[in-house]
Amino acid sequence: LATGISIFLMFAGSFTMFIAYNFSWGKLIFFADTAFTSFVLSGAPFYGITLGLALLICGVYSAVFLVASYETFARRDVAG
């Protein structure tokens, strides 16, 4: 499952960049903001987004994923 999801996300990266360039809300997608080297080498990949905002977006998504995974594990834990 982990391998399949990672391969899917690798191929879906170009699709998320397409959405990010064509829609104003696309720059808030998690996988569109994970190329931090582009901020250092060539500036912001999207208009109106800074490195701090990209880090904030990734931090919020990470917190949501961590809480969701913890809640799922806590509910399905057979020891509890």
Side-chain angles (χ1 to χ4, degrees):
L1 182 65
T3 304
I5 290 173
S6 63
I7 290 173
F8 170 74
L9 292 176
M10 182 179 67
F11 288 120
S14 60
F15 180 68
T16 58
M17 293 302 285
F18 171 76
I19 291 174
Y21 282 123
N22 291 323
F23 298 104
S24 62
W25 53 266
K27 62 184 170 187
L28 300 176
I29 297 174
F30 177 68
F31 296 108
D33 294 322
T34 54
F36 296 121
T37 56
S38 65
F39 286 98
V40 176
L41 298 177
S42 62
F46 311 110
Y47 177 73
I49 193 165
T50 61
L51 179 60
L53 181 60
L55 289 171
L56 178 71
I57 291 169
C58 289
V60 168
Y61 273 108
S62 297
V64 168
F65 291 152
L66 284 171
V67 168
S69 63
Y70 177 78
E71 288 296 322
T72 302
F73 177 76
R75 287 188 185 151
R76 299 184 57 87
D77 188 19
V78 294

